[in-house]
């Protein structure tokens, strides 16, 4: 059982709380840490969707009154990513977080198949970080800063910065929001129009994160969009959407570069762009980010969307169509098109005989399926990878990355598999088992915590010497970023002072 729990800050990710707890207890072993928190070490750890929360709650100190429901709604990304999902799927995800399932929840919310991806590094606001350090003596990871599409800190209107901390790995390590990773300064900015658009997006996001909304199922959501498009003159009285005008006005409302930042580019010439498909009743994944973009374009807040129950949607009329052409004539004409265009697939044949295709497909479907060929282009075989050559190339990159990390100016960065990948600019594929020499080198080059501490201390000593400061153990400890209360570090600095002298 855990004997103590750090203060949980407003909007703090549970991952951040656990990272601070791990540092507070001075734990180095990930296995021991997970056993201390959950009672078991072999499990997935997700930054956005932690599991086994009931087990975690039972392991909390007796005085703790925090509930699983409070953890999920106030300290995970659950309320944002499930806002537009069905109640059935949302309840399933909630249950998986409470009881655990051993499988990744991210796939259920659309991370794998969706085009809108979460930021793959944790982000922070430099101004919030400075204020936290002044007020609390430490900082923490805020949920709101990790929401895709949130470009600014609303409180300070400061551009959010990325760190080296990966956010979507299945077996994430526990990194605190400290000076080792939050060392960027505010400099970049966007123009006022971008800020204006993003402020409105952020306000809607804040409503979702509060979790104070009533579920709408997908058919009701689509009908709601149809109603609002009808009000803007972008749909007929029956609910037929004037797609071309809709897409055109959407692109006039949002600058193209802004849509690119929001991972939502729209190609006006593409028949199946995401905006055209968004307002159709289909099972395609819809990111909450894109829901908020469409609502903002329609001039509707997230709160209005969830509480407006007056939905009309499309109005369908049943009409019994009687063929007005001779069936045999139509069949012969379609067979002629197939005969004179061998090798073409159904889509290509449809383009040649548009009206005829529509008639045959509607009134004589079985015959159409029997006579119309299905031609599929063969997929090109992927080239065989020369893994020995790939291993040699990756090894060279890894060596360069380690050398760069060790010789970089400024506060040292610990040499870890994650920081090596970050330095190269690649993801976890560098850990492929076939990259034997690369994996072995990274394993050997990985810096243990004690070596990293010594390197930081020597760096701090060198910096203070260059500044002409009268050095003490305490000053070195603070300058290196260890704080002043870690006795183990204090003793290590004393030993280094003796060796250096």
């Amino acid at each position: 059982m855990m004997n103590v729990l750090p203060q949980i800050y407003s909007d703090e990710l549970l991952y951040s709380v656990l990272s601070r707890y791990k540092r507070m207890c001075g734990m180095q072993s990930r296995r021991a840490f997970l056993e201390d928190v959950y009672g078991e070490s072999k499990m997935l750890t997700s930054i956005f969707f932690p599991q086994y929360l009931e087990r975690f709650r039972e392991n909390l100190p007796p005085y703790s009154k925090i509930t699983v429901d409070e953890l999920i709604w106030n300290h995970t990304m659950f309320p944002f990513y499930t806002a537009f999902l069905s109640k059935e799927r949302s309840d399933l995800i909630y249950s998986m977080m409470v009881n655990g399932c051993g499988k990744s929840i991210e796939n259920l919310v659309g991370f794998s198949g969706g085009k809108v991806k979460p930021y793959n590094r944790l982000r922070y606001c430099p101004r919030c970080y400075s204020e936290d350090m002044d007020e609390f003596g430490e900082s923490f990871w805020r949920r709101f800063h990790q929401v895709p599409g949130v470009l600014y800190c609303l409180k300070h209107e400061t551009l959010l910065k990325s760190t080296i901390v990966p956010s979507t790995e299945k077996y994430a390590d526990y990194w605190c929001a400290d000076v080792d990773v939050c060392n960027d300064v505010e400099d970049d900015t966007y123009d006022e129009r971008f800020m204006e658009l993003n402020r409105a997006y952020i306000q809607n996001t804040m409503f979702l994160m509060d979790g104070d909304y009533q579920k709408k199922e997908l058919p009701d959501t689509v009908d709601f969009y149809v109603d609002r498009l009808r009000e803007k003159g972008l749909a007929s009285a029956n609910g037929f959407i004037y797609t071309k005008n809709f897409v055109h006005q959407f692109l006039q409302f949002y600058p193209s570069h802004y849509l690119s930042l929001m991972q939502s580019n729209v190609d006006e010439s593409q028949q199946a762009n995401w905006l055209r498909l968004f307002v159709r009743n289909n099972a395609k994944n819809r990111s909450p980010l894109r829901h908020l973009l469409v609502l903002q374009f329609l001039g509707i807040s997230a709160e209005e969307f969830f509480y407006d129950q007056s939905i009309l949607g499309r109005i369908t009329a049943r009409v019994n169509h009687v063929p007005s052409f001779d069936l045999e004539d139509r069949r012969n004409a379609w067979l002629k098109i197939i005969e004179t265009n061998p090798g073409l697939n159904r889509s290509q044949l449809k383009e040649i005989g548009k009206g005829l295709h529509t008639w045959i497909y509607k009134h004589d479907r079985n015959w159409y399926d029997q006579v119309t060929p299905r031609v599929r282009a063969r997929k090109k075989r992927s080239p065989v990878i020369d893994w020995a050559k790939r291993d040699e190339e990756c090894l060279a990159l890894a060596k360069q990355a380690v050398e760069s990390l060790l010789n970089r100016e400024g506060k040292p960065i610990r040499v870890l598999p994650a920081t090596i990948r970050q330095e190269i600019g690649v993801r976890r594929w560098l850990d492929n088992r076939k990259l034997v020499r690369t994996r072995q080198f990274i394993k050997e080059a990985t810096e243990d915590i004690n070596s990293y501490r010594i390197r930081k201390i020597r760096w701090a000593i060198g910096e203070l010497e260059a500044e002409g400061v009268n050095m003490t153990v305490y000053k070195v400890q603070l300058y290196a970023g260890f704080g002043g209360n870690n006795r183990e570090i204090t003793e290590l600095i004393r030993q280094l002072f003796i060796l250096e002298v």
Side-chain angles (χ1 to χ4, degrees), residues 416-481:
L416 296 168
T419 54
I420 293 172
R421 292 197 303 269
Q422 172 72 10
E423 186 70 17
I424 298 173
V426 300
R427 303 189 71 177
R428 289 193 71 95
W429 61 259
L430 195 66
D431 197 35
N432 191 301
R433 293 182 180 277
K434 295 180 181 178
L435 301 176
V436 179
R437 296 180 63 198
T438 303
R439 281 164 53 89
Q440 182 62 29
F441 172 76
I442 291 175
K443 181 179 179 181
E444 294 171 356
T446 297
E447 195 171 18
D448 64 82
I449 187 63
N450 203 51
S451 300
Y452 173 58
R453 287 172 173 173
I454 291 172
R455 194 156 60 90
K456 279 181 72 176
I457 292 167
R458 285 178 171 157
W459 167 80
I461 292 172
E463 291 292 303
L464 291 173
E465 283 181 346
E467 294 176 9
V469 175
N470 184 22
M471 271 186 290
T472 65
V473 170
Y474 184 72
K475 287 180 181 178
V476 172
Q477 191 163 340
L478 287 182
Y479 197 89

Side-chain angles (χ1 to χ4, degrees), residues 332 445 488:
N332 290 334
E488 183 182 350

Side-chain angles (χ1 to χ4, degrees), residues 119-126 141 145-146 151 159-165 181-185 188 422:
Y119 295 110
N120 59 8
R121 305 286 170 184
L122 289 183
R123 303 189 308 153
Y124 74 104
C125 164
W141 300 115
H145 291 168
Q146 318 314 322
L151 306 178
L159 195 65
L160 297 178
K161 300 293 184 179
S162 290
T163 66
I164 64 168
V165 182
V181 294
C182 302
N183 50 24
D184 209 340
V185 294
D188 303 325
Q422 172 72 10

Side-chain angles (χ1 to χ4, degrees), residues 192-458:
E192 184 57 35
R193 175 58 178 160
F194 278 33
M195 291 185 68
E196 177 188 347
L197 289 169
N198 208 235
R199 282 192 204 103
Y201 174 81
I202 289 171
Q203 292 290 351
N204 284 329
T205 300
M206 291 176 69
F207 175 81
L208 297 188
M209 295 297 275
D210 286 341
D212 185 19
Y213 51 76
Q214 300 175 7
K215 280 287 181 185
K216 263 193 174 83
E217 297 299 315
L218 181 59
D220 291 336
T221 298
V222 173
D223 285 343
F224 178 90
Y225 289 145
V226 171
D227 289 347
R228 302 293 83 79
L229 289 170
R230 186 189 289 118
E231 292 170 3
K232 290 177 72 74
L234 295 174
S236 68
N238 289 339
F240 174 79
I241 297 173
Y242 305 137
T243 310
K244 188 174 181 179
N245 292 341
F246 172 37
V247 173
H248 182 69
Q249 288 193 27
F250 187 87
L251 291 176
Q252 285 187 319
F253 183 81
Y254 289 114
S256 59
H257 184 47
Y258 181 76
L259 289 177
S260 179
L261 290 171
M262 302 297 277
Q263 305 180 68
S264 298
N265 283 321
V266 178
D267 185 349
E268 202 166 358
S269 64
Q270 187 181 7
Q271 290 298 313
N273 63 56
W274 72 263
L275 191 58
R276 288 175 180 267
L277 300 176
F278 203 80
V279 287
R280 296 180 184 175
N281 263 319
N282 54 47
K284 290 190 176 293
N285 175 63
R286 292 166 171 81
S287 166
L289 178 149
R290 289 181 173 175
H291 276 287
L292 295 185
L293 285 180
V294 172
L295 287 174
Q296 190 174 339
F297 163 74
L298 295 172
I300 307 293
S301 70
E303 184 174 6
E304 290 174 299
F305 166 79
F306 282 105
Y307 286 98
D308 189 339
Q309 301 300 321
S310 57
I311 299 173
L312 179 61
R314 291 183 172 89
I315 302 171
T316 57
R318 292 180 176 272
V319 179
N320 293 323
H321 293 280
V322 178
S324 57
F325 297 99
D326 179 74
L327 182 60
E328 285 303 317
D329 289 345
R330 300 273 91 186
R331 284 183 171 183
N332 290 334
W334 183 246
L335 289 172
K336 184 69 174 177
I337 290 176
I338 295 173
E339 181 184 348
T340 55
N341 296 280
L344 297 189
N345 60 32
R346 292 188 172 190
S347 295
Q348 293 166 323
L349 293 172
K350 176 183 175 181
E351 286 299 313
I352 295 172
K354 283 184 178 178
L356 177 59
H357 175 277
T358 302
W359 193 94
I360 290 284
Y361 191 84
K362 185 173 184 179
H363 299 295
D364 202 7
R365 176 68 180 275
N366 290 335
W367 179 85
Y368 167 86
D369 285 332
Q370 292 172 11
V371 302
T372 309
R374 290 181 179 273
V375 180
R376 292 187 177 91
R378 284 189 176 183
K379 291 184 178 180
K380 292 184 178 179
R381 294 184 63 184
S382 301
V384 177
I385 297 175
D386 184 342
W387 285 105
K389 182 179 179 182
R390 176 72 60 85
D391 195 12
E392 192 70 29
E393 293 169 349
C394 290
L395 177 62
L397 291 174
K399 288 180 177 179
Q400 291 174 10
V402 171
E403 184 178 355
S404 175
L405 288 169
L406 292 174
N407 297 321
R408 178 171 296 179
E409 294 184 4
K411 181 169 288 190
I413 296 174
R414 186 176 174 187
V415 179
L416 296 168
T419 54
I420 293 172
R421 292 197 303 269
Q422 172 72 10
E423 186 70 17
I424 298 173
V426 300
R427 303 189 71 177
R428 289 193 71 95
W429 61 259
L430 195 66
D431 197 35
N432 191 301
R433 293 182 180 277
K434 295 180 181 178
L435 301 176
V436 179
R437 296 180 63 198
T438 303
R439 281 164 53 89
Q440 182 62 29
F441 172 76
I442 291 175
K443 181 179 179 181
E444 294 171 356
T446 297
E447 195 171 18
D448 64 82
I449 187 63
N450 203 51
S451 300
Y452 173 58
R453 287 172 173 173
I454 291 172
R455 194 156 60 90
K456 279 181 72 176
I457 292 167
R458 285 178 171 157

Side-chain angles (χ1 to χ4, degrees), residues 128-146:
C128 286
Y129 175 81
S130 297
E131 289 182 0
D132 291 343
M133 297 303 290
D134 291 339
E135 184 175 355
F136 308 120
E138 63 179 351
S139 191
F140 57 94
W141 300 115
R142 288 166 167 81
R143 292 186 308 161
F144 194 70
H145 291 168
Q146 318 314 322

